[in-house]
Amino acid sequence: MDRVSSTKPIKTQKYLAGAVLLGAAPCTAMVFVWSTLTHGNPAYTVVQVATNDLIILVAFVPIVKFLLGVSRVSVPYSTLFVSILLFVVIPLAAGIVTRVGITGRKGRDYLENVFVHKFDHVTTIGLLLTLVIIFASQAEVILSNPVHIILIAVPLIIQTFLIFFIAYGAAKLVGLPYDIAAPAGLIGASNFFELAVAVAIALFGTTSPAALATTVGVLTEVPVMLTLVKIANRTQNHFQKRQA
C-alpha cells in the first residue's frame, strides 16, 4: 500500500514536468501557420518568431531548470542544451544561411516572392508528419490513460483560450490593427510542442507521465488553435484595417 501511494507524488511531479516543458517553450514555426490562416502581417510574424527564438536560446534552459528544480525533478543541463541545439540553433542557422545566400545571388524580391512560396505546402506536410509520428509513438500510453488525458487536457484548453483572449483583447484596447492583433493573440496561446515532447522523451522516456502530458498538449493545441483562428477571422471586423 505504501509503495503504491509513494508512486503518486512521483507521477504528479512528472505530469507537472511535462506541463512546465510545454509552458516554457514559446511557439516558433507554427506561428507562420496561424498567422497565414488569419491573414496576419508577415513582417510582424517574422519578428515574433525571431523574438521567440531568442527567448528560447537565452531563457528556456534556466527557466526549465529552475521550475523543475522547485518541483524536485532533476534535469541534466546536457539534455536541455542538446535539445535547444537540434530544434532551435540548427534550424535558425540554416534559415540565416539560406536567406543570406539567396538574397546575395538573386535578390530580396526573388527570396520573398518566389523562393519562399516554393515551400508553402511544406509546413502543412511537416505538421501532419510530426503529429503522426508523435501519436504513433505514444498511442499505447494515450489509450491506457484516458482519465489522465482528460485531467491534463482541461486546464491546458482553459489556459490556451484565456491567454488568447487576454492578448487579443489587449490588442483591441490599444488600437492595433487586426493583422497584428490576431497573430499576437495566437502566438501567446501556442507552444513549441515539438521541443517539449522531444525534451520530455529524452529526459523521462516515451512512456513517462511527462511525455504523456506534452503529448496531450499536442492533442489539444492543434484543434484549439484552429478554433481560435476561426474566432479571430469572425471577429476581424471589430478591428481597424491597416492603411495601405
Side-chain angles (χ1 to χ4, degrees), residues 21 29 32 35 39 103 125 134 154 163 165 198 207-208 231 236:
L21 291 173
F32 290 109
S35 182
H39 307 288
T103 303
I125 295 172
I134 289 174
V154 170
I163 293 174
F165 282 113
T207 60
S208 66
I231 291 172
Q236 61 181 292

Side-chain angles (χ1 to χ4, degrees), residues 70-167:
V70 170
S71 305
R72 298 181 182 178
V73 177
S74 178
V75 179
Y77 276 110
S78 58
T79 303
L80 295 175
F81 281 120
V82 169
S83 298
I84 294 298
L85 176 66
L86 292 176
F87 285 89
V88 180
V89 176
I90 292 178
L92 184 61
I96 293 172
V97 170
T98 300
R99 182 177 182 85
V100 171
I102 296 297
T103 303
R105 288 189 300 172
K106 297 191 175 182
R108 182 174 177 179
D109 185 67
Y110 174 83
L111 172 73
E112 296 179 350
N113 298 315
V114 179
F115 182 79
V116 171
H117 292 293
K118 292 181 179 181
F119 302 91
D120 284 345
H121 301 294
V122 173
T123 302
T124 303
I125 295 172
L127 171 62
L128 293 175
L129 286 176
T130 301
L131 295 177
V132 169
I133 292 171
I134 289 174
F135 290 125
S137 65
Q138 296 292 303
E140 184 177 347
V141 179
I142 292 172
L143 293 175
S144 60
N145 295 278
V147 176
H148 290 180
I149 287 174
I150 294 173
L151 293 175
I152 296 170
V154 170
L156 287 178
I157 292 172
I158 293 173
Q159 165 202 271
T160 304
F161 274 94
L162 182 63
I163 293 174
F164 169 78
F165 282 113
I166 289 174

Side-chain angles (χ1 to χ4, degrees), residues 198-222:
V199 174
I201 291 175
L203 290 174
F204 307 106
T206 56
T207 60
S208 66
L212 177 62
T214 55
T215 303
V216 174
V218 182
L219 185 67
T220 59
E221 175 161 322
V222 175

